[in-house]
Structures are given as structure tokens and as C-alpha cells.
Amino acid sequence: MTISTAPSTMRPSGHVLQDPPAPELDDQEPVTTTVARLRSAFATGRTRDFAWRERQLRAMLAMLENEEAAIAAALGEDLDRFPGAAWSADIATTRIEVRDALKNFRKWARRERHLLPLSTWPSRGFIEREPLGTVLVIGAWNFPFYLTLGPLVGALAAGNAVVVKPSELAPASSRTIKDLVAKYLDTDAVAVVEGGVEVTQELLAQGFDHCLFTGSPQTGKKIMEAAAATLTPVTLELGGKSPAIVTASANLDVAARRIIWSKLANSGQTCITTDYVIVERSVQKEFLEKLLATVEAFTEERPDGQPVINRRQFGRLTGLLSADHGGRIIAGGGADDQRCLIDFTVVLDPAHESPLMSEEIFGPILPVITVDSLDDAIASVKRGPKPLAAYLFSNSRSDHERVVRDVSAGGVVINHALLHCMSPQLPFGGVGNSGMGSYHGKWGFDTFSHLKSVVRAWARPDIPLLYPPHTEAKARIVRKVL
Ligand code: NAD
């Protein structure tokens, strides 16, 4: 890792790597057969049974605990992950969801009784959570297990049959998810369908009782469009540019460490990574010194650069650096096109209009923007679409309250990053361009449940106020009651 002031440099290579070929899917059952089989299983009512739900969740737990080696191997193959990172990023995160659901799903499913207005007296009301039916989970490649098995937890806990469609861009993970689901879960009610755009479109054309999609805002629009044809409701877990604001009162050492930690996770290919930093001018110099020292220390274990998933992403990311972004590269800037590695790169003050500052980066490049005040930082965030996450580093409570109030984002973390995603006690989702709907914990259960309003009345008393003839006297009473 070199700290440099040089422009972006591409390390030359004679040989150009090819992206992996699309997986062979000849052995795959036709989509229509799979969906029909799952619908039949749901129609028997067996997925509604609490004992069935518990068996599936316990089997998922066993899968995560027994199959760590297979999962880590697939993540190593697809994403060049260290085995330890496979555990913390994909296995442990999913396990937290499974354990929370196992502990609570019966409670979440409980009938919720409510007092009704006088006008409905003496009826009683309650909310009954019923499984939606056969649902679809479409995953992204960056955390291929967590982003498919995580939503699966809520869907199974709520009693649905589920089709899981992992990303074709992480083929070893996609194949492993398929094998593990077949080995551990009830395959008449849970199926993994592999494939890319065509297969996903074919699936959507079948119509589902819900679709939870994780991916980019651009693809999210296509998913919503395809889902509209069958009125399939959607939850869209999308991306965006998540800022980290560093104010003058922040602990700069901690801010630097936590920001770089968040950006290094999965080489910045994380939906809630710190996309860019906004720092107050009065501490910019001191912060940059700490930031660059942290970059140097934290990248020691990958001295050749950060691995990115494929040539397409590599080309996109190096393109962001070689385009005229108007900033100054103060760390990194190099890339190895043979091994798809990019140096952790820090770009100081790129132009707001540059692709680097208008597109989600999704890689190991960190722009740092300098502003005069927190007001300017907030105004700068508000110029773009609503982000998936916003991070604030500040020791001032009033700064905390300002950002929580004034920055609309999927989630906010104060003096840290990423943590809101790891907690099933909080809903996880975007807002505006970064998504719609949420999941994790009870929110995943509710996303895959219909909240059915039920009112129970009895034949007696049968109050004649509602019925004709509509006299003046009745109207007067109705006006008082309603
Ligand atoms: P993507 O949108 O390219 O693909 C996601 C899924 O959609 C894949 O399974 C793919 O096969 C399918 N797909 C792609 N094009 C399609 C089309 N035209 N019709 C139907 N299906 C299609 O996303 P990606 O590159 O896998 O992931 C990166 C994006 O996902 C980033 O924007 C990132 O921020 C976002 N993301 C969001 C979250 C979250 O939880 N909010 C998590 C991870 C990634």
C-alpha cells in the first residue's frame, strides 16, 4: 500500500482475466414446476404449522454451524474472502437472525387484540398474522449467503413457502446455497433457483405473494416493473451513497478506524459501507493524517490491493478513478488488472458532479469532501438521493439530534458504522432511492405476513340503528356515536 499524491495508475499485465462463465444449469427443474410444487406444499397448510417452522429454523442453524467450511470455501472462491470474514459477515449475521426468530416467532405470530371504537360495540377486534403464501427472495452477490438466507429466516418463521434466487455473479456461493438448502430444508416448500436476468424475469412472471429483492436501485426498478404485471408486492433493499460526517468535536482516531474498517469490509462492496466522508475544515488536516495512517496499518494484510468481484466491477471502479473527478488522490490509486485488485484509494475533494460523487462506489475508493460546518455537511447529503445509511462522528449531542432529525436515510449510526444492520432488534431497510420496506427480526416476519384485521361480532345485541328506516332520531344518535 503506497500513500501517494500520484494520479491513478494501472499496473500493467499481458493477460486479461475473463469473468467466470455462467453456471451450467441443465440439471435445473423448470421454473414453472418448482413454483407449482411450492404452491401445492403451501396449500396443504404444512408450512403454517409452528412445529414445521421451528424445524426449518433449527435446520438452518445446524446448516450454519456445520457447513462453515463449505460456506467459507465458496466465499473464498467468489470474493477472495478470508475465512474469518466469511464467518463474521455471512454466517454469524445470518445466525443472529435465525436465533432471534427461533426465540420469538411464536410471540410475533400471536394474535394482537385491540379495543375498537364505541361505534362497533360490542364487537372485538384483533390482528391475525397469516403467512402470505409462496414468496420470492432475490439476492445480490456481495454477501451471497446473508442476503438470501437472512430474508429466508423471516419468510420461514412467518410460515411461507420460499423460492430463493441467489446472484449468478457469485456462482460458487449460489451452487452451495442450492446444495445446502436441499440437504437441510424441506425441499417441497423451499427451493433455490439459480440463474441470471432471464431466470429472474421468468420467476417474476409466475407471480408471487411477495418478493424481497436486494440489489441496485436500477435493477430494483426492473424488478418492480416485472412484479407489477402480477401485482406481486415488493420489498426493495437497494443501495446508495452512504456518507460519514466527521465534525470538529469527533474523536478523530476512532472515526478514522471505524470508517476504514467499514470501507475495507468486503473491499467496500457493501451496501452500507461508508461511500464517502464529509469532514469539517477545521479538523481536515488532522483527520486526514489519522485516516492515511489507518489505511496503511489496516491494509497491511492485503499489500497487493483489495480484491473486487469481477472484471466488470474492476473496470467500473478504475474508470471512476481515471475519469476527470477533479480531486486529488492522496492514498493508493494503483490497480492490478490481472488479479482484479485495487489499492485502497483516498480521493480528496472530488467534484460533486463527478461520477465518483454521483454514483454508488461499491469498492475500495473513499472520497473525502471538506466543508465548513455541519450545516454544510447536511446540505451536501441532502443534495443527493436519500442514502441507505448515514454515519455521524461527533461528541456533541445536539449534532446527533440534528442529524437524526434532518438527514433522511435508511438508518443512522452515531460514532460508528454498519452496526444497525447487525441487530435484529432494529428494522433494516432503505428510504426513497435506497429502498422500500424493511426486514430483520420481527420486521422480516411482518414483511412476509399479511396483517389481517378481524372483527368479531355476535348475533345479539342486534342494534337497529344501522338499518332502515333512516329516521331523524336515528341520525342524531349515529352522529353522537360516530
Ligand atoms: P443487481 O441489482 O445487479 O442484482 C441483484 C439481483 O438481481 C441478482 O440476483 C440478479 O440476478 C438480479 N437481476 C439483475 N438484473 C436483473 C433484471 N434486469 N431483471 C431481473 N433480475 C435481475 O445488484 P448486485 O450488483 O448483485 O448488488 C449490488 C447492489 O446491491 C448495490 O447497489 C448495493 O448497494 C445493493 N445492495 C443492497 C443491499 C441492502 O441490503 N440494501 C445489500 C447488498 C447490496
Side-chain angles (χ1 to χ4, degrees):
M1 174 81 226
T2 46
I3 306 293
S4 77
T5 52
S8 167
T9 53
M10 180 87 80
R11 289 194 280 278
S13 87
H15 163 234
V16 175
L17 259 188
Q18 296 300 316
D19 284 342
E24 283 294 332
L25 301 173
D26 295 347
D27 57 339
Q28 189 154 276
E29 158 182 84
V31 159
T32 46
T33 314
T34 307
V35 176
R37 186 160 49 78
L38 264 59
R39 284 199 184 119
S40 306
F42 180 76
T44 64
R46 79 171 192 259
T47 65
R48 303 177 78 120
D49 180 27
F50 283 178
W52 181 90
R53 302 187 202 188
E54 184 169 338
R55 273 200 305 282
Q56 303 313 305
L57 293 171
R58 288 207 180 283
M60 281 189 79
L61 205 54
M63 176 208 295
L64 294 166
E65 282 167 5
N66 302 341
E67 305 289 350
E68 184 182 345
I71 294 171
L75 289 168
E77 196 175 320
D78 287 333
L79 292 155
D80 205 359
R81 284 251 190 100
F82 293 132
W87 166 261
S88 55
D90 271 84
I91 301 176
T93 42
T94 312
R95 199 160 154 262
I96 289 170
E97 288 291 319
V98 182
R99 286 156 76 116
D100 184 58
L102 265 170
K103 188 166 152 218
N104 294 310
F105 84 91
R106 284 185 163 81
K107 187 171 78 194
W108 296 336
R110 237 177 251 159
R111 200 165 270 187
E112 206 181 297
R113 295 176 195 284
H114 289 275
L115 281 177
L116 302 184
L118 184 62
S119 53
T120 62
W121 185 87
S123 312
R124 293 276 190 271
F126 57 90
I127 298 169
E128 183 84 355
R129 284 176 169 74
E130 67 178 14
L132 289 169
T134 302
V135 301
L136 174 63
V137 171
I138 304 171
W141 53 261
N142 56 334
F143 293 91
F145 290 88
Y146 181 40
L147 299 175
T148 48
L149 301 181
L152 179 63
V153 173
L156 292 177
N160 296 280
V162 191
V163 175
V164 173
K165 211 297 289 175
S167 171
E168 72 284 13
L169 299 181
S173 302
S174 172
R175 172 53 56 171
T176 306
I177 292 165
K178 184 162 186 141
D179 292 346
L180 294 183
V181 164
K183 185 169 163 191
Y184 284 87
L185 300 182
D186 175 353
T187 49
D188 281 334
V190 188
V192 176
V193 174
E194 290 191 278
V197 176
E198 272 177 33
V199 169
T200 317
Q201 287 289 349
E202 196 186 345
L203 276 167
L204 286 163
Q206 309 304 307
F208 282 85
D209 297 296
H210 196 84
C211 167
L212 185 146
F213 165 80
T214 302
S216 60
Q218 299 88 314
T219 309
K221 290 174 194 164
K222 294 178 187 153
I223 298 292
M224 204 168 169
E225 198 180 333
T230 56
L231 279 185
T232 297
V234 289
T235 297
L236 300 179
E237 297 286 341
L238 310 177
K241 288 185 84 62
S242 301
I245 300 173
V246 179
T247 67
S249 74
N251 180 321
L252 300 180
D253 287 299
V254 169
R257 278 198 290 276
R258 293 179 181 176
I259 287 169
I260 300 301
W261 165 74
S262 79
K263 191 74 170 187
L264 271 175
N266 212 27
S267 302
Q269 302 167 123
T270 303
C271 58
I272 48 170
T273 191
T274 303
D275 187 278
Y276 64 102
V277 176
I278 308 177
V279 62
E280 269 193 66
R281 195 173 305 282
S282 59
V283 291
Q284 186 236 46
K285 192 164 170 284
E286 195 186 343
F287 174 69
L288 286 178
E289 277 164 18
K290 292 175 191 300
L291 192 83
L292 297 188
T294 309
V295 170
E296 192 150 20
F298 283 14
T299 54
E300 259 172 20
E301 58 187 3
R302 287 209 190 264
D304 295 345
Q306 310 304 312
V308 299
I309 176 102
N310 56 28
R311 292 212 59 75
R312 194 156 158 247
Q313 291 300 325
F314 179 87
R316 186 183 63 75
L317 288 162
T318 49
L320 290 177
L321 285 179
S322 54
D324 183 17
H325 48 65
R328 187 159 60 90
I329 293 178
I330 56 169
D336 177 338
D337 78 336
Q338 201 169 16
R339 292 187 290 162
C340 276
L341 299 174
I342 298 183
D343 283 349
F344 193 99
T345 298
V346 181
V347 185
L348 183 59
D349 287 325
H352 185 78
E353 308 68 35
S354 65
L356 196 57
M357 282 312 295
S358 52
E359 284 175 23
E360 181 183 6
I361 295 173
F362 217 59
I365 303 170
L366 183 67
V368 178
I369 305 294
T370 315
V371 295
D372 289 326
S373 63
L374 180 59
D375 283 345
D376 289 352
I378 292 174
S380 161
V381 175
K382 286 176 132 179
R383 270 196 273 167
K386 296 180 179 182
L388 186 55
Y391 305 125
L392 169 68
F393 290 86
S394 165
N395 277 338
S396 148
R397 267 187 186 274
S398 70
D399 288 355
H400 302 174
E401 293 305 325
R402 271 225 52 205
V403 169
V404 169
R405 190 191 62 206
D406 292 347
V407 175
S408 184
V412 170
V413 180
I414 297 165
N415 290 320
H416 219 306
L418 313 184
L419 297 190
H420 62 309
C421 179
M422 300 170 189
S423 167
Q425 286 73 29
L426 297 173
F428 181 78
V431 56
N433 201 59
S434 56
M436 59 181 73
S438 61
Y439 73 123
H440 288 190
K442 183 180 189 297
W443 292 272
F445 184 94
D446 277 352
T447 286
F448 291 108
S449 301
H450 170 55
L451 274 61
K452 185 158 65 182
S453 293
V454 181
V455 175
R456 191 193 328 250
W458 297 97
R460 294 281 176 256
D462 189 30
I463 302 165
L465 273 178
L466 299 174
Y467 311 135
H470 297 294
T471 62
E472 289 262 324
K474 278 185 185 174
R476 272 199 303 276
I477 299 171
V478 168
R479 271 178 177 278
K480 287 216 162 110
V481 176
L482 285 183

